[in-house]
């Protein structure tokens, strides 16, 4: 191997290490290693985080570590949306002109600081470029500091951006779910993460994961928690390597109930053992770890009020499991349509299942 190829190989290794390090860091910090970038006083390099109880201007920090080749470069930065839907981009150009702009991307609307690397190409070799990260939301636009890099005379090895497929979520519960996807690193060290939130602007990001540098598709999963009950969430898989960033399609899932912590969950099930004057009413109850009293309401009208309907004897359940419950009812009228539902109550409140009907036999 000649000296030129050895140098190219070293550059590739540095690129992979630098990008992996940036994505695995959960907060902005000073870059490590030899630095060739220089600072110009066009913005603040300190990222500003507002309290989570209020929204505000985005926080922006341009990364001083840039990894150039002869016609491209990977540049880095961090953005904190600070509670409002935020977009970001890099301005760049020769000799401080900043006359070019990368594609505008979304950082969501959360309070988490996000790594925002970008891959730019079409550059001239042996040329010094300036670059600066900017972010904008409804509160205004913030610009980071300006840094420079100089492209090399040596072309990088050929490579491709990774591929991402967002798959269906699994283990969807009341406040948690597992987000799934498939990553093809395309033979370059690849990092993946999920964006998710109650709107298609997302607003939250998962932890970052490494998909390696293989050539075969890899199934990836990241659990998320602290979700709201009975809420539809949108999510997508994002992947990044030295040759670009790719987002999978947006999918959605809906968390379970009940809406309030500790409120029981009930479900009315079809009646069984229907006879001329008797029946078995069925349902399910989940107390959600709070002692809960349940009963069945039934009558010949769908109103099922205390005046027009009848209430069975009450029973008590505890624990977290969904339990099948039933009651045998006698003394019904022949050939008559009845309506019924299961209901439950604990200190958090009262819930009632859907109303179901049956007709006694002749």
């Amino acid at each position: 191997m000649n000296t030129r190829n050895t140098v190219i190989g070293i550059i590739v290794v540095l690129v992979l290490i630098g990008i992996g390090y940036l994505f695995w860091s959960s907060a902005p910090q000073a870059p490590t290693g030899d630095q060739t970038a220089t600072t110009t006083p066009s913005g603040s390099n300190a990222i500003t985080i507002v309290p989570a109880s209020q929204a505000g201007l985005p926080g922006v920090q341009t990364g001083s570590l840039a990894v150039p080749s002869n016609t491209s470069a990977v540049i880095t930065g961090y953005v904190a949306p600070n509670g409002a839907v935020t977009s970001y981009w890099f301005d760049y150009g020769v000799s401080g002109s900043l006359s070019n702009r990368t594609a505008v991307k979304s950082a969501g609307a959360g309070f988490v600081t996000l790594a925002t690397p970008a891959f730019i190409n079409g550059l001239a070799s042996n040329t010094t470029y300036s670059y600066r990260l900017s972010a904008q939301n409804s509160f205004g636009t913030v610009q980071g500091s300006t840094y420079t890099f100089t492209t090399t005379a040596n072309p990088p090895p050929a490579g491709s951006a990774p591929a991402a497929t967002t798959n269906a979520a699994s283990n969807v519960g009341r406040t948690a779910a597992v987000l799934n996807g498939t990553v093809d690193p395309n033979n370059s060290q690849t990092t993946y993460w999920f964006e998710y939130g109650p709107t298609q602007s997302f607003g939250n990001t998962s932890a970052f994961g490494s998909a390696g540098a293989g050539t075969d598709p890899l199934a990836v999963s990241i659990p998320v928690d602290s979700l709201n009950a009975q809420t539809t969430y949108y999510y997508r898989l994002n992947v990044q390597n030295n040759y670009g960033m790719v987002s999978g399609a947006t999918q959605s899932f809906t968390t379970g109930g009940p809406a309030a912590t500790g409120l029981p969950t009930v479900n009315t099930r079809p009646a069984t053992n229907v006879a001329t004057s008797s029946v078995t009413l069925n349902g399910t109850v989940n107390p959600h770890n709070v002692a809960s009293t349940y009963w069945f309401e039934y009558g010949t009208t769908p109103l099922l009020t205390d005046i027009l309907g009848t209430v069975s004897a009450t029973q008590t359940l505890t624990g977290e499991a969904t339990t099948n419950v039933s009651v045998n009812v006698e003394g019904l009228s022949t050939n008559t349509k009845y309506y019924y539902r299961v209901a439950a109550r604990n200190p958090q409140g009262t819930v009632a299942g859907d109303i179901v009907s049956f007709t006694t036999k002749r």
Side-chain angles (χ1 to χ4, degrees), residues 75-214:
I75 52 180
T76 61
Y78 295 92
V79 170
N82 283 339
V85 176
T86 297
S87 58
Y88 69 90
W89 64 90
F90 286 89
D91 296 306
Y92 66 96
V94 178
S95 301
S97 66
L98 300 178
S99 57
N100 302 290
R101 178 172 292 188
T102 63
V104 177
K105 296 186 177 183
S106 172
F111 290 90
V112 178
T113 299
L114 308 177
T116 57
F119 179 79
I120 55 178
N121 53 25
L123 306 178
S125 62
N126 287 321
T127 303
T128 298
Y129 285 84
S130 299
Y131 67 99
R132 178 184 66 199
L133 176 61
S134 298
Q136 182 180 61
N137 63 22
S138 59
F139 292 88
T141 301
V142 178
Q143 298 171 336
S145 296
T146 298
Y147 293 92
T148 65
F149 63 85
T150 301
T151 53
T152 69
N154 300 319
S160 301
T165 302
T166 310
N167 297 331
S170 59
N171 297 333
V172 179
R174 182 176 174 275
T175 60
V178 176
L179 307 183
N180 302 304
T182 304
V183 178
D184 186 345
N186 278 330
N187 205 33
S188 182
Q189 185 68 38
T190 297
T191 299
Y192 69 89
W193 69 99
F194 289 88
E195 294 176 283
Y196 64 97
T199 72
Q200 294 195 47
S201 295
F202 307 113
N204 300 284
T205 60
S206 71
F208 293 102
S210 173

Side-chain angles (χ1 to χ4, degrees), residues 152-312:
T152 69
N154 300 319
S160 301
T165 302
T166 310
N167 297 331
S170 59
N171 297 333
V172 179
R174 182 176 174 275
T175 60
V178 176
L179 307 183
N180 302 304
T182 304
V183 178
D184 186 345
N186 278 330
N187 205 33
S188 182
Q189 185 68 38
T190 297
T191 299
Y192 69 89
W193 69 99
F194 289 88
E195 294 176 283
Y196 64 97
T199 72
Q200 294 195 47
S201 295
F202 307 113
N204 300 284
T205 60
S206 71
F208 293 102
S210 173
T215 57
D216 296 322
L218 175 71
V220 297
S221 299
I222 292 182
V224 294
D225 54 20
S226 300
L227 306 179
N228 294 322
Q230 295 181 345
T231 301
T232 297
Y233 280 86
Y234 300 87
Y235 66 101
R236 71 179 178 189
L237 173 63
N238 300 298
V239 292
Q240 171 93 29
N241 67 16
N242 186 40
Y243 301 98
M245 173 181 168
V246 176
S247 297
T250 299
Q251 297 225 39
S252 66
F253 65 88
T254 301
T255 52
T261 303
L263 197 67
T265 303
V266 299
N267 184 27
T268 310
R269 307 293 297 167
T272 56
N273 302 323
V274 180
T276 56
S277 61
S278 62
V279 69
T280 300
L281 306 181
N282 302 303
T284 62
V285 177
N286 189 326
H288 293 294
N289 281 328
V290 179
S292 302
T293 300
Y294 73 89
W295 63 92
F296 286 87
E297 300 170 346
Y298 61 97
T300 55
T301 75
L303 299 178
L304 298 179
T305 63
D306 290 339
I307 297 176
L308 297 178
T310 304
V311 178
S312 70

